[in-house]
Each structure stands twice: as structure tokens, then as C-alpha cells.
Amino acid sequence: MPSHAKNLILILILWVGGLLAAGQFAKIAVLLPEIRTLYPFSGSAIAWLLTLISLVGAILGGLAGSIANRIGQKNVLIACLLVAGLLSLWQASLPSFGIMAVSRVLEGLTHLGIVVAAPSFIAQLSSDRWRGAAMSLWSTFFGVSFALFALAAIPLAARFGVTAVFQAHGAMMIMVAVALLIFLGDIGKPLNKNETTGNTFFAAYRQWPKLWPGIGWLFYTLTFVSMLAILPDQIEDSLRGPTNTAMPLISIVVSLIAVPLLLLRFSGAMVVMGGFVCCAAAILLSAVLSLPVIAVVLFGALGLVQGATFAAVAELNTSIEDRAQGYGILAQTGNIGNLLGTPLFLAVLEWGNINMMLGAAFVTYAVGFVCLALTAKRLQIQTN
């Protein structure tokens, strides 16, 4: 098999691994009503089964890249997929709530290893010409996974129970781990002591090529999940469903189609900053356009940030080890944004109204752009 064809197959397998990693969130989120019935006395604590994964990433995300470099990214990726698969299979036994919560913390660790190592491999396996497109594909893993789980997991659970979803999810993760163990080769071997010099966790945060994409990702994630959760509830019932469906889909389409085309002319960093400008402009259009239209336009603009950020990590960091640390920082800032975003914007909405919440979103995008623009000077980012 030609090497480029093998690399393409590996990239697709890695992307599927990403879909299954996002499925660690999705299998709880889309089945939350069914899971609530399994733990009827958990009350509001049921939400922890979803958020504990983000908490792990928020605390340990930046450290994950350094650990992966020391142990070997291939070892970390395959071990995390295997353990995650076994955990999902074990969760199908529906243990007590407390034990299930502990298993979710362990899942958070495996999730972190996957989302740090997999995009580093994809960037390594891609040619210079197609790296932007490959990273844009990776950036869709969260949205595509939620869409697939909504389509497949709900009817599967309705027919065979929640356990069937956990079993299928676990089995597929193990299959991906085995496939990568066979075909990935020697990429991502552990660094020796000399190569680890200057590659520590704290050193990574002092290196702008690794830190810069994570800065923008924080502001992106502050709004992505929160707007997805809040905006549809502010829309009339007849348009709520179509808008709720269109928002993540337009983000995926823009990431897959518009971002690779833009990357042929502009750097990933420039597309990220342009995406923040478009997000802020979409909020300003709320003065003349209806909220459903604004929601769709906003998520199209967020798709620019989504796709280009992963490409920017690969552009700014040339080695697989540096990219792993960059994606680790991305995981950390992203999980912080996911944790804080929805409570923050809900508080603004309850304190004021929808216009004040949109104003807070505008400020978020404006501050994000200013932070990126000021720090971009340190990277001497060019337009091509």
C-alpha cells in the first residue's frame, strides 16, 4: 500500500478515536434522562457524571503533553484507548453512583491522553499541503460525535438499554486501539533524557508557539457550549428544533470546507483571529437580524476558530513533541472554558436579559481578539 494511502487510513482511524473520545461526553449527555432514571436519588449531582471529565482536563491538561512525550505518545494513545474501552464495558454493569463517578474521573484521564496524542499524530502523518485540511477534520470530532450519538445511541438505548450503548462504545474503542497498535509503527516513541531538556510542563507555558493557540481556545470554549445550550431556549418553539440542529452543523461545515480553503492563503493563526472578528460582527448583527439567524451565523464564525486553531498548533510547532504540549495546553484551556462558560452566561442572562448576554459574548470575542493580536506580535505571525 502506498505510504500516502496508509497515512490517510491512519488519519481516519485516529479521527474515529477522537469521535469515541468525545463519545465519553456524549454517551452521558444524550442519554442523561435515561441515566437519571438509573440513579433516581442522585438529584442535581447527576451532572457530575458529565462534568468530571472536564474537571480532569482543566487541572491536568497542560501536563498531559509533557507526560506523553516522556512515556511515548503511541504508548499513551493506545493505553488510553484500551483503558477507556474497558471502563466503558465495565460501566455497562451500572455500578453505584459513587463508583460510577470515580470511573468518570478515570475516563477523564484517558480522554485527555487521546485528545493530546491523536492530533499530534494526525499532524505528523499529514503532508504540508493537506495538514490544514487534516487538522480541520480533527476539529470536528466533538460536534460529529454528539450528532452520531444523538442519532444512534438514543434508539439503541430505547431498544436494548443504556448498557448496550456503553458496551458498543467500549468495544469500538478497543478495536481502534488494536488497529493503531498494529499500523502506527514507530511514530511517537518516548523521548530520551537529552530530548526532554526544556520540554517540561512549565517551560511549555513560557513558549508562545505552544501557548498562543490555547489563549484563543479559552475564549472560544467559554461561548461554544454555553451558546449552544442557552440560545435555542430563547427562540420560539417552532424554530427551536431547526436552530438547535443547524448551529453545530454549520460549525462543522465551515470547519471542513471554508477553513481548508482559507488555509491555502492565510496562516491558521490569521484565520483564528479573523474568526473572532466574525464572531463579534455576528453579535452586532443582532440589532437587525432575528435571533435564530444570529445563532446560525455565530456558529458559522465559531467554525473558523474551531478548525483553524488545531491547524495553528501544527503550524507554530514543528515537532510531534512540541505539538503534543500545544494540544495539552489546548485541552486545559478548553476544559476551563467549558467549565466556566455556561454558568457565567446563564448568570448574566438571569441578572439581565438576552441582549445583555449577547453583549457579554461580544466582549468575550473582543477581548479574545485583542489578547491574540497583542501576543501574535511575539510570534511574528504573517498573513501567508
Side-chain angles (χ1 to χ4, degrees):
M1 181 184 294
S3 60
H4 62 274
K6 179 183 177 181
N7 287 353
L8 176 59
I9 292 172
L10 277 171
I11 287 170
L12 292 175
I13 294 173
L14 289 162
W15 182 62
V16 171
L19 297 182
L20 295 170
Q24 293 174 306
F25 284 90
K27 70 182 181 184
I28 301 295
V30 304
L31 297 177
L32 197 58
E34 290 84 354
I35 292 172
R36 190 187 298 274
T37 64
L38 298 174
Y39 300 102
F41 302 109
S42 61
S44 60
I46 196 73
W48 282 103
L49 293 185
L50 181 60
T51 59
L52 278 171
I53 289 184
S54 290
L55 186 61
V56 172
I59 296 172
L60 299 176
L63 187 60
S66 297
I67 294 174
N69 288 339
R70 302 291 176 88
I71 299 175
Q73 293 183 49
K74 178 181 176 181
N75 297 334
V76 167
L77 178 59
I78 293 172
C80 286
L81 284 165
L82 283 173
V83 173
L86 292 172
L87 279 170
S88 197
L89 290 174
W90 178 80
Q91 288 167 346
S93 67
L94 302 178
S96 66
F97 181 81
I99 296 177
M100 177 67 87
V102 172
S103 76
R104 292 292 286 169
V105 174
L106 296 176
E107 269 195 300
L109 293 172
T110 64
H111 177 88
L112 194 54
I114 296 167
V115 300
V116 167
S120 301
F121 281 118
I122 290 176
Q124 186 80 357
L125 292 165
S126 307
S127 65
D128 291 341
R129 179 177 181 182
W130 295 107
R131 185 169 294 119
M135 300 319 300
S136 296
L137 173 67
W138 170 258
S139 76
T140 67
F141 77 98
F142 216 85
V144 172
S145 180
F146 268 71
L148 290 175
F149 268 78
L151 287 172
I154 293 175
L156 182 62
R159 184 169 183 181
F160 299 106
V162 170
T163 57
V165 176
F166 287 179
Q167 289 168 346
H169 178 245
M172 286 188 287
M173 294 198 93
I174 292 172
M175 290 170 63
V176 170
V178 172
L180 292 175
L181 180 63
I182 295 172
F183 296 113
L184 202 50
D186 293 329
I187 305 175
K189 293 185 295 184
L191 296 177
N192 60 44
K193 291 183 179 180
N194 292 331
E195 291 173 314
T196 60
T197 303
N199 230 345
T200 65
F201 164 61
F202 294 107
Y205 269 88
R206 295 194 297 268
Q207 297 170 10
W208 287 103
K210 298 174 184 176
L211 178 60
W212 189 90
I215 296 173
W217 201 242
L218 172 64
F219 292 98
Y220 163 85
T221 52
L222 276 170
T223 65
F224 185 87
V225 173
S226 56
M227 294 297 107
L228 190 61
I230 296 171
L231 286 180
D233 285 340
Q234 308 304 310
I235 295 169
E236 60 185 275
D237 290 343
S238 62
L239 296 175
R240 183 179 301 165
T243 304
N244 210 2
T245 301
M247 289 163 67
L249 286 180
I250 190 65
S251 178
I252 292 170
V253 169
V254 169
S255 293
L256 283 177
I257 298 176
V259 170
L261 292 175
L262 288 169
L263 290 175
L264 295 175
R265 174 64 180 87
F266 303 101
S267 69
M270 293 301 296
V271 177
V272 169
M273 290 191 289
F276 275 100
V277 171
C278 292
C279 289
I283 298 295
L284 292 178
L285 289 174
S286 63
V288 294
L289 297 176
S290 66
L291 189 57
V293 174
I294 292 300
V296 174
V297 172
L298 174 61
F299 270 73
L302 284 169
L304 295 174
V305 180
Q306 173 183 300
T309 297
F310 285 93
V313 175
E315 288 177 359
L316 296 172
N317 301 277
T318 55
S319 74
I320 190 171
E321 294 79 24
D322 287 343
R323 286 166 178 166
Q325 290 190 313
Y327 289 123
I329 292 174
L330 216 64
Q332 184 162 39
T333 59
N335 280 293
I336 292 171
N338 286 333
L339 278 173
L340 299 179
T342 301
L344 172 65
F345 286 101
L346 270 177
V348 173
L349 179 65
E350 293 175 0
W351 179 71
N353 54 38
I354 183 64
N355 290 328
M356 292 187 69
M357 191 197 73
L358 290 173
F362 175 83
V363 171
T364 301
Y365 298 131
V367 172
F369 173 79
V370 170
C371 290
L372 290 176
L374 291 176
T375 53
K377 294 180 180 180
R378 297 176 179 267
L379 301 172
Q380 297 182 337
I381 292 170
Q382 304 298 319
T383 57
N384 54 41

